[in-house]
Amino acid sequence: MQKVIFDTNAIRNVDVKQYFGGRLELEKFYKVAELIFPDIVIEEMRNQKKRKLQKNKDAFLSNPFHAIQKLNEDDIKDFDIEGHIDFLECKETLKYTQITLSDYSILGKMKDLALKKLPPFESGDSTDKGFKDAYIYFTILEYVQSLTEKNVFICTNDGKLKEALQHESSITIIKDYDDFKKHNINQYKESYFLEKISEELQLDNITKNSIVDYWINNIENAIILLKIDIEKYVIEVDSGEIIAFTNISNYRTSFNNLIKSDNIELTKSTIEELSNYINFLSNDEIVKIFNVLKENEQISLALSEENVRQFISTLYDDFEDTIPLDLKLSIKRMLD
């Protein structure tokens, strides 16, 4: 699975009801990549919340309506801000990796960059801004050096950090998920890969515009969606090699029949057919199956059948981390 390291601006969040900011973007990344945060990024996000909560707490306590309404202020005074942030962290459903700078010998390099006003430090004589970005910069470099496969994405909108990292050949800088997806899908639009597809599928007239989407499947291989005229194909790719493919029409009928199934026998037969194509299903299709399972009693009753339970259990085990929490809990209750 590809690795994406996030800068502070990607997850900035003063919301007191959830841990990470930029939640919609992170959830998109989470389906296809490992989320990675330098420790200073996490600490800065926590401090943003802490400052916001402390400011609101002070404003709340200074409000004269407390005295007018004779409200008890002790509960507010005793409110544990740090404990609340820890609670939000415990509730967080997105799994992530935190990386830390351990080689402090780079302090000399950091000082040299600061004195010379080189990125990620600001260039103006009237400012010394840049320590946090420099810490992130060296944390990223140390982490990348520890990897065997060094192709890593950095999600940031910080100009100076981008300038400092832009010459690192093992790092690809992106601004958001759409940018990430564009970089990923472009590798499958190269001429040599298009020729592979043409040879393997025995199709002509394949162009880079024929590649319209991609996702990561249940065994972490890439699935490429190919459109030729009105036909759509899905291609499974492992380490740059095509290992399987099919025309979507081969399982689309089974999928649609399962979604609208009104009896156990139909559910059993469609799942038996669909099981042969489980590796090609996208996350959206799997969520749709789970939603129907939750809402359609005829389908949920079919869980007593071995092949149905096995199919749903496999999907749940493989995609548990990428489906919405409320839906995940519902399916888990059904399977228990």
Side-chain angles (χ1 to χ4, degrees), residues 299-310:
I299 297 178
S300 59
L301 286 173
L303 281 174
S304 59
E305 302 295 330
E306 184 177 351
N307 75 316
V308 175
R309 176 170 286 274
Q310 180 61 45

Side-chain angles (χ1 to χ4, degrees), residues 151-155 168-174 183:
N151 185 23
V152 174
F153 290 86
I154 311 296
C155 186
E168 299 293 330
S169 59
S170 56
I171 289 173
T172 301
I173 300 170
I174 54 173
H183 276 87

Side-chain angles (χ1 to χ4, degrees), residues 125-143:
D125 290 333
S126 61
T127 179
D128 289 320
K129 286 175 59 179
F131 171 78
K132 186 180 71 176
D133 284 341
Y135 187 95
I136 292 172
Y137 170 70
F138 283 107
T139 301
I140 290 172
L141 292 186
E142 180 180 319
Y143 173 72

Side-chain angles (χ1 to χ4, degrees), residues 279-317:
N279 286 5
F280 295 110
L281 297 177
S282 69
N283 188 271
D284 289 342
E285 289 171 327
I286 290 161
V287 168
K288 194 168 185 178
I289 290 172
F290 285 154
N291 274 318
V292 171
L293 177 65
K294 177 182 174 183
E295 297 164 3
N296 187 327
E297 186 180 29
Q298 290 301 315
I299 297 178
S300 59
L301 286 173
L303 281 174
S304 59
E305 302 295 330
E306 184 177 351
N307 75 316
V308 175
R309 176 170 286 274
Q310 180 61 45
F311 179 82
I312 297 299
S313 295
T314 299
L315 290 182
Y316 179 82
D317 290 341

Side-chain angles (χ1 to χ4, degrees), residues 44-303:
E44 176 59 17
M45 181 190 69
R46 291 177 65 94
N47 284 331
Q48 289 166 357
K49 290 182 182 297
K50 189 174 181 179
R51 290 191 295 268
K52 175 68 172 178
L53 281 166
Q54 188 62 56
K55 182 179 178 181
N56 289 346
K57 181 178 179 180
D58 293 342
F60 192 81
L61 289 171
S62 64
N63 193 314
F65 278 98
H66 287 148
I68 296 172
Q69 295 295 322
K70 298 180 180 180
L71 299 177
N72 185 348
E73 297 181 354
D74 290 341
D75 289 342
I76 304 301
K77 289 178 180 178
D78 295 338
F79 181 74
D80 182 2
I81 291 177
E82 199 72 44
H84 178 70
I85 296 173
D86 289 341
F87 171 70
L88 294 178
E89 182 180 13
C90 288
K91 282 177 54 183
E92 180 54 62
T93 57
L94 297 179
K95 296 178 182 178
Y96 62 93
T97 299
Q98 184 170 298
I99 56 176
T100 305
L101 180 67
S102 61
D103 180 12
Y104 293 108
S105 66
I106 54 84
L107 289 174
K109 297 178 183 177
M110 191 181 296
K111 181 182 74 172
D112 191 48
L113 290 175
L115 290 174
K116 293 179 179 179
K117 301 290 185 179
L118 295 175
F121 289 94
E122 297 287 342
S123 58
D125 290 333
S126 61
T127 179
D128 289 320
K129 286 175 59 179
F131 171 78
K132 186 180 71 176
D133 284 341
Y135 187 95
I136 292 172
Y137 170 70
F138 283 107
T139 301
I140 290 172
L141 292 186
E142 180 180 319
Y143 173 72
V144 171
Q145 285 302 312
S146 72
L147 300 174
T148 303
E149 296 183 9
K150 301 184 186 299
N151 185 23
V152 174
F153 290 86
I154 311 296
C155 186
T156 181
N157 286 315
D158 186 287
K160 286 298 177 182
L161 184 58
K162 286 195 285 188
E163 190 176 347
L165 291 168
Q166 66 182 351
H167 300 299
E168 299 293 330
S169 59
S170 56
I171 289 173
T172 301
I173 300 170
I174 54 173
K175 61 181 180 179
D176 53 25
Y177 179 75
D178 287 341
D179 201 14
F180 171 76
K181 189 171 182 178
K182 181 178 72 176
H183 276 87
N184 272 290
I185 205 168
N186 279 347
Q187 67 182 301
Y188 302 113
K189 294 185 176 185
E190 299 291 341
S191 297
Y192 79 94
F193 193 77
L194 296 178
E195 289 173 6
K196 275 187 181 182
I197 296 175
S198 181
E199 181 179 347
E200 191 74 31
L201 277 65
Q202 297 186 351
L203 293 172
D204 297 324
N205 302 321
I206 296 177
T207 70
K208 62 181 181 180
N209 293 328
S210 304
I211 308 291
V212 295
D213 202 359
Y214 95 105
W215 56 86
I216 303 300
N217 72 359
N218 57 318
I219 55 174
E220 297 192 2
N221 286 339
I223 301 295
I224 312 304
L225 177 60
L226 177 76
K227 186 176 180 181
I228 305 291
D229 297 325
I230 62 171
E231 298 294 327
K232 290 183 179 180
Y233 301 84
V234 277
I235 306 167
E236 186 175 8
V237 180
D238 181 17
S239 301
E241 297 299 323
I242 297 172
I243 61 173
F245 62 88
T246 189
N247 191 310
I248 284 182
S249 64
N250 290 333
Y251 65 86
R252 181 53 56 191
T253 300
S254 299
F255 181 84
N256 291 336
N257 285 340
L258 174 62
I259 297 303
K260 63 185 181 183
S261 176
D262 58 2
N263 65 79
I264 292 178
E265 289 305 315
L266 179 59
T267 300
K268 284 174 57 180
S269 62
T270 54
I271 280 184
E272 187 171 346
E273 295 166 0
L274 201 56
S275 294
N276 298 318
Y277 302 94
I278 192 170
N279 286 5
F280 295 110
L281 297 177
S282 69
N283 188 271
D284 289 342
E285 289 171 327
I286 290 161
V287 168
K288 194 168 185 178
I289 290 172
F290 285 154
N291 274 318
V292 171
L293 177 65
K294 177 182 174 183
E295 297 164 3
N296 187 327
E297 186 180 29
Q298 290 301 315
I299 297 178
S300 59
L301 286 173
L303 281 174

